[in-house]
């Protein structure tokens, strides 16, 4: 659990043992200390990933909003998950002109790209995301760019930064 990891991190004896073990393996004390800190960071990231998987706001939950054909539809559930209103989205002419399936798919994929940057290797390899992206590209190649622009203008990536790490140089899915 996260509490166990915290106790391990603040346990001076455990830290000392890890450094001594690292030195015994041929590392300098500095390198051994860095490896210790990285092991703690990795353990925390694993626990946070598990928490995200069962959270009502994790990327797994966004995937669960897909239709049976691995697409998203612009509907109340998707808008609530992303934290925007229909009126916010319809201010953009490209999004207003898109079908609910294209707009929903573009928004969901752009949201994943903006908010779940660190988890990209995980969500990108799911069949759900790959299929949705392929379907979107067949229908409208500019929808993803439009959705990303709208979400950035609404501050979506920065608004979620205390829950999920975001990147100021988020890339559009390619």
């Amino acid at each position: 659990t996260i509490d166990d990891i915290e106790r391990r991190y603040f346990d001076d004896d455990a830290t000392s043992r890890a450094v001594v073990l690292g030195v015994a393996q041929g590392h300098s004390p500095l390198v051994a200390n860095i490896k210790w800190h990285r092991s703690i960071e990795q353990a925390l990231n694993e626990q946070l990933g598990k928490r995200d998987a069962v959270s009502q706001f994790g990327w797994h939950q966004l995937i669960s909003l897909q239709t049976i054909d691995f697409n998203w539809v612009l509907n109340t559930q998707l808008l609530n998950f992303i934290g925007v209103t229909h009126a916010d989205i319809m201010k953009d002419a490209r999004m207003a002109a898109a079908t609910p399936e294209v707009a929903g798919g573009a928004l969901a994929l752009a949201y994943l790209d903006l908010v779940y940057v660190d988890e990209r290797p995980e969500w990108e390899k799911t069949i759900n995301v790959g299929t949705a992206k392929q379907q979107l590209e067949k229908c409208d190649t500019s929808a993803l760019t439009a959705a990303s622009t709208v979400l950035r203008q609404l501050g979506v990536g920065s608004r979620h930064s205390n829950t999920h790490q975001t990147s100021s140089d988020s890339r559009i899915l390619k």
Side-chain angles (χ1 to χ4, degrees):
T1 67
I2 292 177
D3 291 336
D4 295 334
I5 296 167
E6 182 181 25
R7 279 191 289 280
R8 207 171 89 205
Y9 180 76
F10 289 109
D11 181 354
D12 291 334
D13 291 334
T15 304
S16 296
R17 285 191 304 272
V19 171
V20 167
L21 180 62
V23 170
Q25 293 173 340
H27 302 292
S28 71
L30 177 61
V31 170
N33 202 343
I34 290 170
K35 288 182 81 169
W36 165 251
H37 281 65
R38 285 193 178 156
S39 73
I40 295 294
E41 180 183 19
Q42 181 180 1
L44 278 172
N45 285 336
E46 287 173 13
Q47 288 297 317
L48 291 173
K50 289 177 185 176
R51 185 198 65 183
D52 188 49
V54 296
S55 163
Q56 66 180 12
F57 298 109
W59 68 265
H60 300 88
Q61 301 309 316
L62 180 58
I63 299 293
S64 75
L65 294 177
Q66 285 181 304
T67 61
I68 194 143
D69 62 347
F70 300 118
N71 204 351
W72 286 275
V73 177
L74 184 62
N75 59 24
T76 305
Q77 291 86 1
L78 181 63
L79 292 169
N80 287 342
F81 182 91
I82 294 172
V84 296
T85 67
H86 191 265
D88 290 335
I89 301 303
M90 292 301 120
K91 289 177 187 174
D92 182 271
R94 295 174 295 180
M95 296 303 291
T99 67
E101 291 79 16
V102 168
L107 283 170
L109 290 168
Y111 185 83
L112 281 168
D113 191 48
L114 289 170
V115 177
Y116 297 102
V117 174
D118 291 341
E119 293 92 349
R120 175 190 299 271
E122 295 173 51
W123 57 257
E124 213 170 39
K125 64 184 171 188
T126 67
I127 188 171
N128 308 52
V129 173
T131 302
K133 185 174 179 271
Q134 288 173 353
Q135 290 175 1
L136 183 62
E137 288 172 348
K138 286 180 186 175
C139 296
D140 187 344
T141 57
S142 67
L144 187 55
T145 302
S148 183
T149 301
V150 168
L151 293 178
R152 282 187 183 129
Q153 288 172 346
L154 294 171
V156 167
S158 60
R159 197 170 51 203
H160 294 84
S161 60
N162 51 344
T163 312
H164 306 285
Q165 288 191 339
T166 60
S167 171
S168 59
D169 67 324
S170 293
R171 300 170 306 278
I172 299 298
L173 294 171
K174 293 186 179 177

